[in-house]
Short mmCIF file of all heavy atoms in Angstrom, two decimals:
data_model
loop_
_atom_site.label_atom_id
_atom_site.label_comp_id
_atom_site.label_asym_id
_atom_site.label_seq_id
_atom_site.Cartn_x
_atom_site.Cartn_y
_atom_site.Cartn_z
N VAL A 122 14.34 -3.28 27.72
CA VAL A 122 15.09 -2.10 28.14
C VAL A 122 14.70 -1.78 29.47
O VAL A 122 15.56 -1.48 30.38
CB VAL A 122 14.80 -0.96 27.16
CG1 VAL A 122 15.39 0.28 27.68
CG2 VAL A 122 15.20 -1.22 25.81
N ILE A 123 13.42 -1.82 29.92
CA ILE A 123 12.93 -1.20 31.17
C ILE A 123 13.36 -2.31 32.33
O ILE A 123 13.79 -1.83 33.43
CB ILE A 123 11.51 -1.01 31.24
CG1 ILE A 123 11.14 0.19 30.26
CG2 ILE A 123 10.95 -0.74 32.60
CD1 ILE A 123 9.70 0.47 30.14
N PRO A 124 13.41 -3.71 32.14
CA PRO A 124 13.62 -4.42 33.32
C PRO A 124 15.15 -4.20 33.82
O PRO A 124 15.31 -4.12 35.07
CB PRO A 124 13.54 -5.83 32.69
CG PRO A 124 12.52 -5.76 31.51
CD PRO A 124 12.80 -4.32 31.01
N PRO A 125 16.17 -4.12 32.91
CA PRO A 125 17.53 -3.74 33.62
C PRO A 125 17.53 -2.33 34.29
O PRO A 125 18.13 -2.17 35.34
CB PRO A 125 18.39 -3.70 32.36
CG PRO A 125 17.78 -4.51 31.40
CD PRO A 125 16.28 -4.33 31.53
N ALA A 126 16.64 -1.39 33.70
CA ALA A 126 16.60 -0.13 34.34
C ALA A 126 15.82 -0.21 35.81
O ALA A 126 16.05 0.47 36.75
CB ALA A 126 15.83 0.90 33.50
N ASN A 127 14.85 -1.15 35.82
CA ASN A 127 14.19 -1.36 36.97
C ASN A 127 15.14 -1.89 38.20
O ASN A 127 14.73 -1.58 39.44
CB ASN A 127 12.94 -2.31 36.90
CG ASN A 127 11.84 -1.74 36.26
OD1 ASN A 127 11.63 -0.56 36.16
ND2 ASN A 127 10.92 -2.52 35.66
N VAL A 128 16.06 -2.64 37.82
CA VAL A 128 17.13 -2.98 38.86
C VAL A 128 17.62 -1.73 39.61
O VAL A 128 17.58 -1.78 40.91
CB VAL A 128 18.21 -3.80 38.18
CG1 VAL A 128 19.27 -4.16 39.28
CG2 VAL A 128 17.65 -5.08 37.57
N GLU A 129 18.02 -0.81 38.94
CA GLU A 129 18.52 0.45 39.68
C GLU A 129 17.40 1.18 40.31
O GLU A 129 17.69 1.63 41.41
CB GLU A 129 19.26 1.36 38.53
CG GLU A 129 20.47 0.73 37.88
CD GLU A 129 21.08 1.65 36.86
OE1 GLU A 129 20.64 2.96 36.90
OE2 GLU A 129 22.12 1.30 36.28
N ARG A 130 16.31 1.31 39.79
CA ARG A 130 15.22 2.04 40.36
C ARG A 130 14.70 1.28 41.68
O ARG A 130 14.57 2.04 42.70
CB ARG A 130 14.04 2.08 39.40
CG ARG A 130 12.71 2.77 39.90
CD ARG A 130 11.59 2.82 39.05
NE ARG A 130 11.22 1.41 38.62
CZ ARG A 130 10.28 0.80 39.30
NH1 ARG A 130 9.82 1.32 40.46
NH2 ARG A 130 9.78 -0.37 38.90
N ILE A 131 14.53 0.02 41.63
CA ILE A 131 14.01 -0.70 42.74
C ILE A 131 15.20 -0.65 43.77
O ILE A 131 14.88 -0.68 45.07
CB ILE A 131 13.71 -2.13 42.41
CG1 ILE A 131 12.49 -2.06 41.47
CG2 ILE A 131 13.37 -3.07 43.56
CD1 ILE A 131 12.08 -3.50 40.89
N ALA A 132 16.42 -0.89 43.36
CA ALA A 132 17.53 -0.75 44.47
C ALA A 132 17.56 0.63 45.19
O ALA A 132 17.74 0.68 46.36
CB ALA A 132 18.89 -0.91 43.73
N TYR A 133 17.34 1.68 44.45
CA TYR A 133 17.20 3.07 44.99
C TYR A 133 15.93 3.03 46.01
O TYR A 133 16.19 3.74 47.08
CB TYR A 133 16.95 4.09 43.88
CG TYR A 133 16.77 5.50 44.37
CD1 TYR A 133 17.82 6.34 44.51
CD2 TYR A 133 15.42 6.00 44.71
CE1 TYR A 133 17.68 7.67 44.96
CE2 TYR A 133 15.39 7.24 45.28
CZ TYR A 133 16.42 8.13 45.37
OH TYR A 133 16.34 9.31 45.81
N GLN A 134 14.89 2.63 45.57
CA GLN A 134 13.67 2.54 46.45
C GLN A 134 13.85 1.83 47.69
O GLN A 134 13.49 2.09 48.86
CB GLN A 134 12.55 1.99 45.76
CG GLN A 134 11.95 2.98 44.56
CD GLN A 134 10.75 2.31 43.93
OE1 GLN A 134 10.88 1.09 43.48
NE2 GLN A 134 9.76 3.10 43.55
N ASN A 135 14.59 0.67 47.63
CA ASN A 135 14.92 -0.20 48.79
C ASN A 135 15.84 0.51 49.70
O ASN A 135 15.83 0.24 50.99
CB ASN A 135 15.35 -1.57 48.34
CG ASN A 135 14.28 -2.37 47.70
OD1 ASN A 135 13.11 -2.28 47.81
ND2 ASN A 135 14.79 -3.47 46.80
N LYS A 136 16.72 1.27 49.12
CA LYS A 136 17.67 1.87 49.99
C LYS A 136 17.23 3.16 50.69
O LYS A 136 17.48 3.48 51.84
CB LYS A 136 19.02 2.24 49.16
CG LYS A 136 20.17 2.70 50.01
CD LYS A 136 21.44 3.01 49.14
CE LYS A 136 22.59 3.35 49.94
NZ LYS A 136 23.79 3.42 49.06
N TYR A 137 16.50 3.98 49.93
CA TYR A 137 16.21 5.24 50.39
C TYR A 137 14.62 5.58 50.78
O TYR A 137 14.32 6.48 51.51
CB TYR A 137 16.56 6.37 49.45
CG TYR A 137 18.16 6.37 49.16
CD1 TYR A 137 18.62 5.96 47.93
CD2 TYR A 137 18.97 6.98 50.09
CE1 TYR A 137 19.95 6.03 47.74
CE2 TYR A 137 20.32 6.88 50.01
CZ TYR A 137 20.77 6.44 48.64
OH TYR A 137 22.15 6.51 48.48
N ILE A 138 13.78 4.76 50.18
CA ILE A 138 12.33 5.08 50.36
C ILE A 138 11.76 3.95 51.29
O ILE A 138 11.28 4.19 52.42
CB ILE A 138 11.68 5.13 48.95
CG1 ILE A 138 12.29 6.23 48.11
CG2 ILE A 138 10.12 5.37 49.16
CD1 ILE A 138 11.66 6.30 46.76
N LYS A 139 11.56 2.69 50.74
CA LYS A 139 10.84 1.69 51.44
C LYS A 139 11.59 0.38 51.03
O LYS A 139 11.48 -0.06 49.74
CB LYS A 139 9.44 1.70 51.35
CG LYS A 139 8.78 0.51 52.27
CD LYS A 139 7.16 0.67 52.06
CE LYS A 139 6.52 -0.34 52.94
NZ LYS A 139 5.17 -0.29 53.00
N ASP A 140 12.18 -0.34 52.01
CA ASP A 140 12.86 -1.58 51.71
C ASP A 140 11.82 -2.61 51.54
O ASP A 140 11.37 -3.19 52.44
CB ASP A 140 13.88 -1.97 52.73
CG ASP A 140 14.73 -3.03 52.28
OD1 ASP A 140 14.58 -3.67 51.20
OD2 ASP A 140 15.81 -3.44 53.07
N LYS A 141 11.62 -3.18 50.30
CA LYS A 141 10.71 -4.33 50.06
C LYS A 141 11.41 -5.57 49.68
O LYS A 141 10.87 -6.53 49.24
CB LYS A 141 9.75 -3.94 48.89
CG LYS A 141 8.76 -2.74 49.32
CD LYS A 141 7.80 -2.48 48.15
CE LYS A 141 6.84 -1.41 48.56
NZ LYS A 141 5.85 -1.13 47.36
N SER A 142 12.77 -5.54 49.80
CA SER A 142 13.56 -6.66 49.48
C SER A 142 13.31 -7.89 50.56
O SER A 142 12.79 -7.63 51.68
CB SER A 142 14.99 -6.37 49.41
OG SER A 142 15.46 -5.85 50.61
N VAL A 143 13.51 -9.05 50.08
CA VAL A 143 13.25 -10.26 51.06
C VAL A 143 14.59 -10.79 51.42
O VAL A 143 15.41 -11.26 50.48
CB VAL A 143 12.38 -11.36 50.39
CG1 VAL A 143 12.21 -12.53 51.24
CG2 VAL A 143 11.07 -10.74 50.01
N ASP A 144 14.95 -10.79 52.62
CA ASP A 144 16.37 -11.19 53.10
C ASP A 144 16.25 -12.33 53.86
O ASP A 144 17.32 -13.05 54.17
CB ASP A 144 17.00 -10.08 53.88
CG ASP A 144 17.39 -8.86 53.09
OD1 ASP A 144 17.70 -9.05 51.92
OD2 ASP A 144 17.26 -7.79 53.54
N TYR A 145 15.09 -12.90 54.28
CA TYR A 145 15.04 -14.15 55.03
C TYR A 145 14.00 -15.13 54.49
O TYR A 145 13.01 -14.67 53.80
CB TYR A 145 14.66 -13.79 56.53
CG TYR A 145 15.63 -12.92 57.18
CD1 TYR A 145 15.51 -11.56 57.19
CD2 TYR A 145 16.73 -13.43 57.88
CE1 TYR A 145 16.41 -10.76 57.84
CE2 TYR A 145 17.67 -12.67 58.41
CZ TYR A 145 17.56 -11.30 58.49
OH TYR A 145 18.51 -10.58 59.09
#
Side-chain angles (χ1 to χ4, degrees):
V122 178
I123 291 179
N127 281 340
V128 174
E129 295 184 8
R130 177 181 64 83
I131 292 172
Y133 177 95
Q134 290 177 313
N135 289 340
K136 185 175 182 179
Y137 298 109
I138 300 175
K139 185 177 182 180
D140 191 357
K141 294 183 179 180
S142 60
V143 178
D144 290 326
Y145 297 95

